[in-house]
Amino acid sequence: GLNFIDLMVRQGNIDNPPKTPLVPGFECSGIVEALGDGVKGFEIGDRVMAFVNYNAWAEVVCTPVEFVYKIPDDMNFSEAAAFPMNFVTAYMMLFEVANLREGMSVLVHSAGGGVGQAVAQLCSTIPNVTVFGTASSFKHEAIKNSVTHLFDRNADYVQEVKRISTDGVDIVLDCLCGENTGKGLSLLKPLGTYILYGSSNMVTGETKSFFSFAKSWWQVEKVNPIKLYEENKVIAGFSLLNLLFKQNRGGLIKGVMDKLLNLYNSKKIKPVVDSLWALEEVKEAMQRIHDRGNIGKLILDVEKAPTPLMANDSTETSEAGEEEEDHEGDNENKERMPFIQ
């Protein structure tokens, strides 16, 4: 699976990444080739998906058994590689952190992305949940049925939400950071929960940019604890990778995966796979994520041959800033890209 956090790793925006050379990637699916001493519950030949603390973009991956899960019979390998990060993140935020219940409302940014689509599907399992989503305008037709109210990512979504729900929303899920932090807090109802789970506004060009960092953090509203107390609001953060690999909560995540796989088997949720890419195409695949061109998850397939370049295809990495990302430049990758129907 290819995630936005992989772009942040590449740019050096992650605290204490492994020293280079390193193999990126945090989730994968495949077939068990060998077992460690004393490993129970799995056999050679089992179809599995797994979390990995780096090194997932490889033909052979080694990871502790607590991070490995059997793939349901009806799920293919592409869906399995798209499942763990997105759905566990969405489930944990909605049900473990924000305590989503019947009749609540949720605002999610990047509604067309992997986590955004997982959030929308999980919200549909609870009666009368209203989902507000922001996404690039060219994605609206494809995802309009997955959210209740859809807004352009460049529009004034605060006013749009308040026009529909004057007192705001119960849950805000923010993967953008920057100025959206203050906007999200302003939209919270009393007892509402704002959750920051990413900072994609800090990713701009090919390399780490001090200016983009400074701009993003300068725009973050300084949180006043007294104001939180007076307004009855909750602010939280969520990092699945830290929970798994630094805070040793693999057992908790296994329980969540069991619940998610039950939902999958009952056909209530299904991972959305945007496209498959060969390992040689990782640069173009990451560019598609950078430009917010994907609907659902991008997958690196070790068995896939690279797609031949189109005559007008450009493999140059964009240096566009956040304001310039949402342009027709996405079409070059979309034309080359092998869509999953």
Side-chain angles (χ1 to χ4, degrees):
L2 209 159
N3 297 283
F4 205 95
I5 193 170
D6 296 312
L7 275 71
M8 301 183 72
V9 170
R10 188 187 75 184
Q11 293 194 349
N13 294 340
I14 301 296
D15 287 339
N16 302 316
K19 289 184 170 56
T20 53
L22 70 90
V23 177
F26 298 100
E27 63 182 339
C28 62
S29 66
I31 297 171
V32 175
E33 297 232 342
L35 301 173
D37 292 339
V39 170
K40 296 179 180 178
F42 294 93
E43 296 180 358
I44 292 174
D46 281 348
R47 301 167 69 247
V48 296
M49 53 187 155
F51 292 109
V52 191
N53 193 12
Y54 292 96
N55 299 305
W57 297 357
E59 293 173 314
V60 179
V61 173
C62 183
T63 193
V65 67
E66 66 174 320
F67 302 137
V68 182
Y69 315 92
K70 289 185 179 177
I71 300 175
D73 292 340
D74 294 339
M75 184 184 288
N76 62 41
F77 285 116
S78 298
E79 291 176 329
F83 193 82
M85 286 276 287
N86 291 347
F87 275 96
V88 172
T89 295
Y91 187 98
M92 291 291 294
M93 291 193 299
L94 289 172
F95 298 107
E96 299 289 336
V97 181
N99 194 19
L100 178 66
R101 300 183 303 281
E102 180 176 353
M104 281 188 165
S105 54
V106 179
L107 169 66
V108 59
H109 294 296
S110 299
V115 173
Q117 286 293 288
V119 165
Q121 290 186 29
L122 288 171
C123 285
S124 71
T125 67
I126 306 298
N128 302 320
V129 171
T130 302
V131 180
F132 298 89
T134 70
S136 303
S137 56
F138 71 87
K139 299 183 182 182
H140 285 202
E141 183 63 28
I143 67 173
K144 64 182 181 181
N145 294 328
S146 65
V147 299
T148 319
H149 303 288
L150 191 56
F151 312 121
D152 186 88
R153 68 188 298 267
N154 296 315
D156 184 0
Y157 62 85
V158 173
Q159 294 307 314
E160 291 289 333
V161 171
K162 287 186 174 179
R163 180 176 59 82
I164 298 167
S165 177
T166 54
D167 54 349
V169 298
D170 296 292
I171 300 168
V172 173
L173 305 178
D174 181 12
C175 60
L176 304 178
C177 200
E179 63 180 337
N180 293 281
T181 301
K183 291 179 179 179
L185 284 170
S186 73
L187 280 173
L188 281 185
K189 294 179 181 180
L191 303 181
T193 303
Y194 162 93
I195 305 174
L196 179 69
Y197 70 100
S199 50
S200 63
N201 277 344
M202 295 184 185
V203 174
T204 53
E206 172 71 15
T207 58
K208 181 175 179 178
S209 164
F210 174 78
F211 175 75
S212 64
F213 257 137
K215 177 184 174 185
S216 242
W217 282 119
W218 182 257
Q219 291 173 328
V220 174
E221 181 170 297
K222 306 304 179 283
V223 177
N224 182 338
I226 300 299
K227 190 176 179 182
L228 289 177
Y229 146 74
E230 291 174 343
E231 296 182 355
N232 282 300
K233 293 182 178 180
V234 178
I235 184 167
F238 182 77
S239 165
L240 176 57
L241 296 179
N242 284 348
L243 201 65
L244 279 169
F245 303 125
K246 292 184 180 180
Q247 295 155 355
N248 302 315
R249 294 298 191 272
L252 171 63
I253 301 306
K254 182 170 190 323
V256 170
M257 278 292 288
D258 289 342
K259 294 174 184 176
L260 287 168
L261 291 174
N262 284 335
L263 288 172
Y264 176 86
N265 288 327
S266 59
K267 297 186 167 26
K268 293 183 178 178
I269 60 174
K270 182 179 177 65
V272 178
V273 176
D274 176 83
S275 49
L276 302 183
W277 300 78
L279 286 175
E280 295 90 339
E281 299 171 319
V282 65
K283 179 179 179 181
E284 293 85 354
M286 294 184 89
Q287 187 64 41
R288 181 167 173 80
I289 290 184
H290 173 280
D291 292 338
R292 278 72 166 176
N294 57 300
I295 298 174
K297 191 64 159 279
L298 279 75
I299 301 296
L300 295 178
D301 184 348
V302 298
E303 296 183 345
K304 183 183 180 302
T307 303
L309 286 170
M310 299 285 186
N312 65 345
D313 190 28
S314 169
T315 57
E316 292 300 315
T317 300
S318 167
E319 294 290 347
E322 174 69 17
E323 298 83 2
E324 301 172 334
E325 289 170 356
D326 207 11
H327 285 272
E328 287 75 21
D330 296 332
N331 294 333
E332 291 180 359
N333 272 346
K334 281 185 283 187
E335 187 174 356
R336 173 183 180 179
M337 191 214 51
F339 274 104
I340 302 301
Q341 299 298 331

